[in-house]
Amino acid sequence: MRVSRVLLVAVAAGGVLALALGGEALAGREPTRTVAAPWAVAGPGLPLGADVLGRDVLARVLAGGRDLTLGALAAAGAASSLGVAGGLWAGWSRGRAARAARALSDLLLVLPLLLVAMLAVVTVPGPAAVIAGTVFGGAPLTLRVMADATAQARHTGYVEAALSRGERGLSVLFREVLPAHAGLVGADLGQRMVLAVQLSAALNVLGFGPPPPEADWAAMLRENLPGIGLNPAAVLAPAAALALLAGSVAGLSHILAGRS
Amino acid sequence: MSGLAVSGLTVVGPAGAAVVRDLDLSTARGEVLALVGPSGTGKTTVLRAVLDVLPPGLTRIAGRVEWDGAELRATRRWRRRHVGYLGQDPSSALHPLLTARAAVLEPLRVLGRSRAVRRARAEQALADVGLDPEELGERLPHQLSGGQAQRVALARALAADPDLLVLDEPTSALDPEALETAVALIRRRRAEGRSATLIVSHDGSVVAGLADRVVRLGMPPAAAPPAAPRAATRARTAGPVLAVGGLGLDRPDGAPLLDDAGLAIAPGEFVAVLGPSGCGKSTLLRALAGLHPVRAGTATLLGEPLRWPVRGRSVPALRALSLVGQDPLAALNPARPVSAALRRPLRLLRGLSRREAAAEADRLLAAVGLPADTARRYPSALSGGQRQRVALARALAAGPALLLADEITAALDAGTAERVLDLLDLLRQKEELAVLAVTHDKTVAARADRVLRIGRSMTDDRR
Amino acid sequence: MAADGARFGGVPRVIVRAGALLSCASTVIFLITEALPGDAAVVRSGGRATAEQLDRLRAEAGLDRPLAERYVSWLAGTLSGDPGHSLLTGRPVAELIGQRMPVTLTLAAAALALAVPLMAILAWAAVGGPRPLRPVITGLVVGGAALPQVALAALLVALLSAAWKLVPPVSLLPAGEPPWSRPALLVLPVLTLALPAAAYGAALLRGAVADAVSRPFVRDAGLRGVSAAAVALRYVFPVVAPAAVRLLAVVAGGLVAGTTVVETLFGLAGLGELLVSSVGGRDLPVVQAVTLLAAAVVAAGLITADAVALAVDPRGGAAR
């Protein structure tokens, strides 16, 4: 019963991701072309009305998630794999370097990652800043969770049995510890993904995202906020898209975390 | 009637299956009632249903619980005022930030007497369990030894002289000395005749002498004769399997645990290691298995010098020594089926082919009394006893000369424990398997050829 | 005795950690802004200067000196209260920050005052609330913590401002008036800051509370009939408090960072908005000073958290 629930949420989250990535193909109209008056309300052929420059809101919502999602996936993947690798090492090794890594990650943990990304955006483009912020702010969290899990696993019967049959550290980590914590790793990846989506939305809304004619959910929010009285859909649709993306990934992560 | 009366108690699990069906029991003031049965027969569930603290998933669908003739209503308040409770793991049941005296003072709040009176009662309760309040009263649990912490919990359960005392598995919860104190105190309560006592235990022998009445739950499982696994060829030597001299061990925090200890185990010999909790019994086994650092000492295994860290050991040394731990929950990797756990050592240490390993794994399962389809199952689908038997099969897979067994029967019911011990006896005769077993179970120690007692050093009771 | 030793041993450790955090943060801030690709002079001149002009610019700004030397003089200046001048307006950075401070402080304080009790209530309700409500509250907390702040801002504007016309959609403050003089203007920014912070904090705190409640000695207390209030106060609180205070420091840090988005979206002239416009204009002295200030706030939160943890649990210094 619980497996089917995971499957259900996983399929839903996968669907949302697929839509965010490939939605542009369904748009049927160029997201950058002016087709109506600014903030025109919904009508035939314009199910969600028009935006600040009279462009089709639906087409822009369908197209506006791709770069953000791709960037978030890359950032989450980088942060999570770095953190998992570091955590396995820091939890397994009892050396001074491992302790120092844990202390450093504890310190990095408290740095607000939006500020880290704001700093990074001074010198690198937006997507790279999202990755930098997610890695700096997210990898330490992963490292800590994974290091604790690994340190605990060291004293379990299955790890001691593996050591007692002469398996090497790396083999124990990848054959025993990592599979036993697959749910934890999946949940963690999801959480980093949510972080990256939030970060990217924040940076894009502040104007550090893709340049203007491009469609982007967060940028759409800012562009259309002044017209919320005229066409609320121009604001609510991208907001809902962002919420759906982050929410479905968070839901999947939450269920995975509960199972591990 | 006075005391506790339970009638028609029925508890169902999440799927609606009955865990406890239509149970009656009662105990009057001045009586001791024992609830006995193998693990998995719902003893603890009965106890929790009586106290009205069933865990989520279990529901009481029928039954009446009466105290002094009236049905229980505000159960939490009733427990606070009338019940003294000692759980299965008393030392972890102590608040880590409360001193021993403060812990014992807590149940005395309901008395409502003056501070001085309560304090005197707390000191008396500590003294009753053999603890010096002057010396230990201000200590936090982490500054107490395991046995002392157990006694503090016992003192807390008894401090307010509760009308109903409930003990959950005292024989495994308390070390022998603390258990003796508990038994003496229960006898005294019974003689005074004011209060009732309910004891739950899987070990019928200890409670039998203490209880006025015994209620048995479940039927003992039919014993099946275990089949021995095929002999794994192994070089035999005439001398001891393992000889250790001058062994010194430290705790992980650096405090010394053992000094200049020595032991020698002959092929086929069963040596039991006894000692109070926290004395380093388990650490000794883990050190021999190469999993705990050794401060000093040398060892010879099958005539060859043995290197301490497990990483430095040769394949024959790895094969010859096998460890089975005490925690059946963490014994198996949740991500791998039983078959994987068994085949890996067979392939790695005995060099069997894939097909040979699969066949041998089935034989090992049969040897520990598990059905063949266990191989396909994941640990989450096995009970604690079944997992422990899989762990034992995994330890036997390499064909060891010496099995290091750390409380292997603690999580098993009497019937299963018996079968596991029978299997070890069989292997000792047929294959000269030597066993070094840490235990505080007297039935295990009774089967041993020799008993080692651990304090700061080790003494050897030859039989 | 051992406990006292730990207590006194712990205090310098707390300070060392905060000091480490600050020096770590200042180094990262300086390195990222000054030493990453491109010369700061090029960045500052917008790429339109000749080689000769660039050299002059470098000399003026002291950029021809070695990196380590510049770092030390920057840090010394900042610590003595003079973080330099804005490259865009030429005004002292300290003055800019002083001007913007009241708005951000008001905003953050109001948001924190709303977020902290909300966080505690949500976390407790998700673990110890009425059984049928628990999954609902947990879902609310998990979903709320995941919701991007900008999406929440849009939703709040749509509801409170566009649909119900309760508050104005943007918060343009008349110049010279203190921010608290028009509370209606602060409703949207404060809610946008506080709600995600509360949900995020509650999501983490929920874990800590659930963890504490499942500890053997807490379960045992319930079994022994210790009253629910006493269990919460004497058993759960001391276990959760250190984690909760530390969490609070993190939440406060996130809240400070969130002012950038909120102030920009709602048109409030605070420190967050100053940071965003300075990043956009590559005004490095301002960026460095504002981010270091934020790091100092986080470090102060951390010191408080560690001190509270030490006071509640004297084993803190001894454990690990």
Side-chain angles (χ1 to χ4, degrees), chain A residues 157-158 160 167 175-176 179-180, chain B residues 286 318 330-331 333 335-336 344:
Chain A
Y158 60 89
E160 296 201 327
E167 307 225 17
R175 290 186 66 96
E176 304 288 344
Chain B
R286 297 186 64 249
L318 290 172
N333 192 332
R336 297 200 178 277
R344 185 84 179 148

Side-chain angles (χ1 to χ4, degrees), chain B residues 99 136 138-145 148, chain C residues 1-3 315:
Chain B
T99 61
L136 301 170
E138 291 307 309
R139 291 214 192 159
L140 293 173
H142 76 280
Q143 295 162 326
L144 297 169
S145 78
Q148 288 168 341
Chain C
M1 291 236 313
R315 296 172 308 156

Side-chain angles (χ1 to χ4, degrees), chain B residues 76 79-80 95 106 109 156, chain C residues 220 222-223 226 234-235:
Chain B
R76 195 165 186 132
R79 293 198 301 273
R80 182 159 72 239
H95 193 313
E106 187 173 48
R109 285 168 187 243
R156 181 177 64 182
Chain C
D220 182 80
L223 251 154
V226 179
R234 279 209 307 272
Y235 283 77

Side-chain angles (χ1 to χ4, degrees), chain B residues 227-234 319 338-372 375 389-390 392-400 423 427 431:
Chain B
R230 193 176 57 180
T233 48
R234 183 177 65 229
R319 279 191 61 180
V338 168
S339 58
L342 295 180
R343 285 177 203 175
R344 185 84 179 148
L346 290 170
R347 286 172 56 72
L348 219 60
L349 290 179
R350 280 169 61 182
L352 299 188
S353 73
R354 200 173 285 269
R355 195 187 305 159
E356 285 167 341
E360 181 66 14
D362 287 347
R363 258 195 302 278
L364 284 165
L365 284 177
V368 294
L370 288 172
R389 279 185 272 172
V390 172
L392 186 64
R394 180 179 62 192
L396 294 174
L423 170 69
L427 289 166
E431 321 218 353

Side-chain angles (χ1 to χ4, degrees), chain C residues 120-135:
Chain C
I121 292 170
L122 283 175
W124 183 253
V127 178
R131 222 173 262 275
L133 268 184
R134 284 181 207 171

Side-chain angles (χ1 to χ4, degrees), chain C residues 36-312:
Chain C
L36 278 175
D39 185 306
V42 180
V43 175
R44 285 173 194 187
S45 63
R48 287 183 297 272
T50 62
E52 205 174 293
Q53 283 172 314
L54 274 179
D55 280 344
R56 199 156 42 82
L57 256 173
R58 286 193 185 109
E60 258 174 35
L63 286 174
D64 48 353
R65 291 179 296 155
L67 189 68
E69 201 183 312
R70 276 188 285 141
Y71 171 66
V72 170
S73 70
W74 167 71
L75 196 61
T78 307
L79 290 181
S80 64
D82 175 25
H85 289 72
S86 159
L87 294 178
L88 290 179
T89 59
R91 292 168 60 196
V93 174
E95 187 190 310
L96 276 173
I97 289 180
Q99 253 175 17
R100 304 286 193 119
M101 189 84 96
V103 171
T104 303
L105 270 185
T106 313
L107 200 56
L112 211 56
L114 179 63
V116 170
L118 195 60
M119 168 177 139
I121 292 170
L122 283 175
W124 183 253
V127 178
R131 222 173 262 275
L133 268 184
R134 284 181 207 171
V136 179
I137 297 192
T138 304
L140 212 66
V141 164
V142 170
L147 191 66
Q149 204 163 28
V150 285
L152 177 71
L155 195 72
L156 287 175
V157 171
L159 281 181
L160 298 185
S161 177
W164 300 334
K165 317 245 182 266
L166 295 175
V167 288
V170 285
S171 318
L172 288 173
L173 268 176
E177 266 190 54
W180 49 85
S181 62
R182 305 271 181 102
L185 295 184
L186 291 178
V187 170
L188 282 175
V190 167
L191 282 180
T192 310
L193 269 181
L195 295 183
Y200 177 73
L204 295 179
L205 193 59
R206 185 186 71 91
V209 172
D211 199 42
V213 167
S214 69
R215 297 270 189 101
F217 72 93
V218 179
R219 291 191 170 187
D220 182 80
L223 251 154
R224 287 185 288 117
V226 179
S227 70
V231 169
L233 212 64
R234 279 209 307 272
Y235 283 77
V236 177
F237 175 74
V239 175
V240 171
V245 182
R246 197 183 150 85
L247 195 86
L248 215 57
V250 175
V251 166
L255 216 140
V256 167
T259 56
T260 52
V261 172
V262 170
E263 289 176 359
T264 308
L265 266 185
F266 294 110
L268 284 165
L271 283 175
E273 200 273 334
L274 176 68
L275 177 62
V276 173
S277 58
S278 308
V279 167
R282 302 288 192 262
D283 195 348
L284 293 189
V286 180
V287 173
Q288 290 164 345
V290 174
T291 44
L292 192 60
L293 187 66
V297 170
V298 173
L302 207 62
I303 293 184
T304 321
D306 283 353
V308 168
L310 223 72
V312 172

